[in-house]
Amino acid sequence: MRDRMTAAAGVLAAAAAMAATEGLAAVLDLRESPLVSVGQSVIALTPGPIAEAIINVVGTKDKPLAVTSVVIAVLLIGALVGTLWLGRRLVAGGLVALFVVLAAASVLSRPYASPAGVFAAVAGGVVVVGVLQLLLRDQDAAGVNLSRRRFLRTAAVIGLATVVVGGAGQVLAARHRRRQAIEKVRAALTLPVRAEGVPAGVDLGVKGLGPWLTPNRDFYRIDTALSPPLIDPASWTLRIHGMVDRELTLTYQDLVDRGLSDAWITLCCVSNPVGGDLVGNTVWGGVPIKDILDEVGVQAGADALLSTSDDGWTCGTPLRALTDGRDALLALTMNGEPLPIAHGFPVRQVVPGLYGYVSATKWVTEWEVTRFADFQAYWTQRGWGERGPIKTQSRIDVPREGSTVAAGTSVIAGVAWAQRVGVQKVEVAVDDGPWREATLAGVPNIDTWVQWRLGWDAEPGRHTIQVRATDQDGTTQTSERADVLPDGATGYDSVSVEVD
Ligand SMILES: Nc1nc2c(c(=O)[nH]1)N[C@H]1C(S)=C(S)[C@@H](COP(=O)(O)O)O[C@H]1N2
Ligand SMILES: [Mo]
């Protein structure tokens, strides 16, 4: 009786340990879980003739077989450790430690060896010990005081946790594999993008001022997806329906076949606070949305495009903004590459002049031509404005807030944007001094941000620098501070610095 209980405890402890290890491996995004590493070692260490004999019998199932054998072996070792736990704790502990060391060695012998893998293996050992302590806590070496009910209750809880953690680990691991597969498909795509460099004169080259072109890896990311949808372009479609004359379903290849036009567009989030960095500038490649809308024939009375993403997120965009001639794109590329998965792969929208939440649907799969009166999109339901034109803003990037500046000749620099109108001038004021006009860099169009700079003769002491932009209609951004909710922040960006 006692032996059966302790052996069962050991098996459960081993199962829990494997679930924990696999779960950790998935969470830590390991290329290979410790269990698989051990399985690989078993394969590697199996003498050739035996391996051949096995392969003869099981064929290509040799790898699952190796992993299954490891799992069974671990459970058996668990049983042994369990039976030794009460009487010969040291031997039991030694067995656990030995197995952890072997597993860690397996992990380290593999091409994707990582400290995280060793950590996951060690965590498995810790779980074995913890579970045995918990399950056999009422019992002494002689097996007195066996509380069967409590044992079963604890075992049930641990068993449930094992199933949940192990299952979640498998789901995560499957997702990880799917992500790798989609990354591979993405990397293999060859899209007809023009290799257009950065336009001349857009970068002022001021130290500390970021590049005019935001690299994809530095581009801000905002969405409601805990992990981004993983979509194979070969199965992607965009279904277009609603107030249209002809419904249409487009495939990825349909878009590629139309040829891609590109456009420099600065994208900005409505949640970007004054001076914030939820804004980026890049070249997007795709099919003009207007061409597609013309093709399906928008019916009279419609004023909105309700777009839905693969994960159910929705967005309402004024049809006018999509058809008035601006570079509104159904985009496939970002800075000359297929869209990164996090930025909407395979297809997203980009519309100059509108905040992302009302225009830039990533992973878009459905369009309904409709009326604003007939729906509310995701963020509008949550209190954000129905329309979201981007407000004119300017930002000081050099010097940084709170930094110390050497007295003498210095420079103040940053970016400003006024999409759809363009920036006419940027002015800077130090303390209560006059507004002085900064030098602007070049821009390829009115929809990107522009870099600006101003020489500054910095005098010792504490100073506050402010900036404001004026658009090409002559409208200066308002100094009135407004929160990002409901339709974008306003106010002047300012930084305080110490000059000495
Ligand atoms: N599917 C989907 N698309 C989305 C969002 C989202 O949550 N889900 N967020 C939007 C918001 S609020 C912004 S600001 C932009 C950000 O795009 P980025 O992550 O490529 O910078 O995507 C927009 N598109
Ligand atoms: Mo946003």
Side-chain angles (χ1 to χ4, degrees), residues 268 270 316 318 353-359 385-391 486-487:
C268 184
V270 69
L354 298 180
Y355 288 119
Y357 82 108
V358 288
S359 69
E386 182 179 72
R387 319 281 168 120
I390 298 180
K391 296 175 180 175
D487 56 11

Side-chain angles (χ1 to χ4, degrees), residues 99-240:
F99 193 81
V100 167
V101 168
L102 286 177
S106 287
V107 167
L108 290 175
S109 74
R110 301 285 302 153
Y112 310 128
S114 71
V118 173
F119 173 74
V122 172
V126 172
V127 168
V128 168
V129 172
V131 169
L132 282 171
Q133 288 280 22
L134 209 63
L135 279 173
L136 302 177
R137 66 188 183 279
D138 294 335
Q139 292 146 55
D140 61 19
V144 215
N145 195 18
L146 292 166
S147 167
R148 201 184 154 84
R149 179 181 291 173
R150 185 146 124 169
F151 177 88
L152 288 177
R153 223 185 309 140
T154 312
V157 171
I158 293 172
L160 189 69
T162 299
V163 169
V164 169
V165 171
Q170 290 309 305
V171 169
L172 273 177
R175 221 195 115 74
H176 181 74
R177 283 193 296 274
R178 165 129 182 112
R179 183 169 183 132
Q180 283 180 326
I182 298 293
E183 280 292 5
K184 233 179 177 164
V185 171
R186 176 179 173 272
L189 284 173
T190 47
L191 295 175
V193 280
R194 267 189 292 142
E196 187 184 24
V198 176
V202 292
D203 264 300
L204 291 173
V206 174
K207 195 163 157 259
L209 181 59
W212 178 80
L213 163 65
T214 312
N216 286 357
R217 65 173 181 284
D218 297 337
F219 210 96
Y220 80 94
R221 173 183 169 197
I222 292 284
D223 54 62
T224 57
L226 280 180
S227 57
L230 301 171
I231 306 169
D232 186 341
S235 56
W236 176 88
T237 55
L238 175 66
R239 185 168 83 88
I240 308 169

